[in-house]
Amino acid sequence: MYDQYSVVFLSDVGQEAGPEKKEFSGQGEYLLGAGKCDDLPLFFSNHLGLISVTLKSQLSDVSTRIEESSIQERSWLETRAESSLALIPVETVHEMSMSEEPQARLKAAFLFCVQKNKVQAQAIINDLFPLTTTKLSAMTIDSELDTMVTTMSADLIDDFPSSDPRWAVSAPQEQASSTASLILLQQLQDKEEAHGHLVDFLKDMELWDRLASVTVRESALATRMLLSEHAEKIQAAISLTNLHKQNQEAVDRAISLVLEARNIDLVPPGLTKQDVFYREVSKIDDLVDKLVTYEESAFTNDLSPNNIVVLIAGINKVLTGMLSDACQYRKAKNLDFKSASEAIREPEYIAWTSSSGPGGIRQLLMKQHAITVNQALPESHDTTTQGVLFQQLLTLTDIILEGFKDQIDSMRRQPGHIDQYQQLNKEYERARDTLIEPFVDAKQYERAATLAEKYCHYTSLVRICDETENQDRQQRYMQKYQGFSDYVFKWYMDKGKRGKLLSQPLQHNAELGRFLKTEGNEYLSWLHDINTGNYVQAHKSLKTLASDETQYLSKKKTLLSLSKLSALASNDDRYDLEPDIQAVDIEQGLIVYQETLPAEVVEAVGMDTDNMRVLTPVELIELYISDYNKNASELDYKKALEILQYIDQDDPDVNFEELRLHIWAQSLLRDQWDELNTDNPLETTANTLFFKIVDLAFKEGADILDFIPPVDKLLDSPDLGDLKDNKTFQYLIKAGYEHLHNMF
């Protein structure tokens, strides 16, 4: 007796023993029907296929107990692929081996190997691919061996189910089929098993390490990686069949769009669109684009916000399910699809789950991520739905970034691809920002941390630590990740959190010190130096900052004062800081000259007396003697002459003597020499600005003859213009000079 989920075994021998029951309780498992053959009960399970059941005979105990071991279950799932290929008539395989088509002979060798006739298989391989004609180079593209192997692999995974009568019209007239099942899921599992036999065949026949590359998606791909891709697509198809019923409408519509794109207008009689689509496993990735296309078209149907969320979550579930299963298979079987020879250098690897370009899966998944963030999350208001969406986003992000990493690691091994590598790395970093930051923005800190730790997105990790105020976590990251400290320091700098920056634990003092010496961060290094008691370095840092400061005079003055204080506070006998202190004093002296500029001059040139920029010595001189200083006195000109001491006489941009002569000549132009009385020349000249400057210098102890310029040079100054030809002017100047020479 049986129903949909169990079989009850009854015995007519004795009445003491109760009936035994066999449950079919696996997820989604149930019985489709039952029958009998040669008195053998047969059951048809959607999961196990055809099951035969027998009872142990000649039982001595009346109360016979039917044990689990007495039920002999023979599932076609476990042996179908091998049996289907192994049971192909030997005559058929032999006929294929005699074909003039190399592809048919290769398949014959494969079938001989599956049927345990390795001698015959090896003979065909030796004839098809002699060792002398194949070079060990993974950079060889589309060789005969590689093309034939990949063609056979694609044929296997796209094979027609030979036992399904509905395919009789469409299937090629060939007896060698990889699957004999009528059930879609089992057909895919048969193809998985058959593909595994193909890989074993290539290794047994010593062809595996002779494989090179083929052209896939307009670029070279290692043949072994394409074989892995075929196996991964089988996993994606198996996953899709399990997800199909849960998202029936979306997947059905996407499949219809796929078939339309393939120009398949009519499905053969008796078959469904699903049958046609799932048969071509090698093109399973076509569904990704059409799922997103269907989703976007559905948005135009005035869906309610809740239905939009349901739709997006459903599409996400299908995409993440099929692609993550494929990626997990790739990781688990990674070594199985590698060459045993480390000397083989393979071309750049771009996984099919991360194909680039406008229509590539990478861009489609990026689009789906954006759709989820911008359209689903804002409309989800309960924590359960939000949790589902964020988990789907996490999986999408993981698939995208994992694909980037694999491609980057592959490109890093390619010589001469530096520019492409750098460009790809920048694209990866932009994608990483776009994909992970929404988790942090939404305060999904643990999910964000999972991704940020895996893909070294230090900016997100710093944000997480800062926003959660988790200093312990931050310290762990600083110890775990090289260079993470710099991200922490830069984050605090950018956010203006200088207090946190300078209060780092002692073990990070060296890292912080190095960071603060980098360009753009020097202005805080002195605070760190003082905090660590390094006053000498604080003095030097402040002095350098003061020398570089040209924007604000008040800031420069403060920096110089702090530099001097730091030097005075140092008690390190290894350094003689006295020359440095004197240099600071000199710079502070120049600042005094700028601070004492007449207010009318400062205002005339459009500067604020409380917020002046730093002026050069030459600029100060020009302001003191300029026409802006209408009431300039001998004191102003004396200051202009004193500022000359701050000018480097070796500076090629400044002619020191010409500048000195320029100051004196400008002082002469302040008086009206034509109007002066020549009756008493000494008394007259004493009242001119030029000789008032001389008198002031004399009173301050200057050596007058060194202080004033030679008279001939003065009278030849181009600044004087026509005045130098004025006889009265010449007379009075020469008389004044003669008097000075007589006095000194």
Side-chain angles (χ1 to χ4, degrees), residues 242-259:
N242 294 325
L243 294 165
H244 194 147
K245 287 186 178 180
Q246 303 171 35
N247 302 273
Q248 189 82 37
E249 181 180 352
V251 178
D252 282 349
R253 184 60 187 135
I255 287 176
S256 296
L257 293 173
V258 169
L259 298 183

Side-chain angles (χ1 to χ4, degrees), residues 142 188 194 379 465 510 633 669:
D142 295 329
L188 295 172
E379 300 298 340
C465 296
S633 65
L669 295 174

Side-chain angles (χ1 to χ4, degrees), residues 563-590:
S563 175
K564 185 175 181 179
L565 286 172
S566 299
L568 294 172
S570 173
N571 57 1
D572 194 332
D573 297 334
R574 295 175 299 170
Y575 301 95
D576 180 13
L577 298 180
E578 188 59 34
D580 287 355
I581 294 175
Q582 292 176 1
V584 171
D585 289 340
I586 291 172
E587 291 203 55
Q588 287 179 322
L590 181 61

Side-chain angles (χ1 to χ4, degrees), residues 494-518:
D494 293 344
K495 298 301 178 181
K497 298 182 178 183
R498 291 166 178 76
K500 283 190 173 182
L501 174 66
L502 296 171
S503 60
Q504 293 299 305
L506 293 176
Q507 63 264 34
H508 300 300
N509 275 344
E511 295 168 292
L512 180 57
R514 286 192 297 270
F515 173 79
L516 292 175
K517 287 179 174 60
T518 58

Side-chain angles (χ1 to χ4, degrees), residues 452-563:
E453 288 175 14
K454 182 175 181 179
Y455 298 105
C456 298
H457 194 232
Y458 295 159
T459 302
S460 288
L461 293 178
V462 174
R463 277 190 63 189
I464 292 168
C465 296
D466 187 48
E467 292 178 14
T468 59
E469 298 183 353
N470 192 333
Q471 291 299 309
D472 292 338
R473 185 177 209 163
Q474 179 175 289
Q475 294 306 310
R476 288 199 305 272
Y477 289 150
M478 293 173 80
Q479 294 171 7
K480 180 179 180 181
Y481 299 115
Q482 184 177 5
F484 184 79
S485 298
D486 287 347
Y487 280 83
V488 174
F489 303 151
K490 186 177 185 303
W491 171 264
Y492 287 143
M493 287 286 286
D494 293 344
K495 298 301 178 181
K497 298 182 178 183
R498 291 166 178 76
K500 283 190 173 182
L501 174 66
L502 296 171
S503 60
Q504 293 299 305
L506 293 176
Q507 63 264 34
H508 300 300
N509 275 344
E511 295 168 292
L512 180 57
R514 286 192 297 270
F515 173 79
L516 292 175
K517 287 179 174 60
T518 58
E519 185 177 356
N521 301 318
E522 305 94 328
Y523 68 96
L524 283 181
S525 63
W526 66 275
L527 285 170
H528 175 67
D529 294 331
I530 288 177
N531 193 36
T532 57
N534 191 349
Y535 295 105
V536 173
Q537 187 58 50
H539 155 70
K540 293 180 178 179
S541 298
L542 286 162
K543 188 172 181 294
T544 300
L545 289 171
S547 298
D548 295 339
E549 180 58 47
T550 59
Q551 192 67 28
Y552 300 106
L553 180 69
S554 58
K555 184 176 181 180
K556 183 180 182 75
K557 180 179 180 181
T558 301
L559 291 169
L560 287 170
S561 299
L562 291 171
S563 175

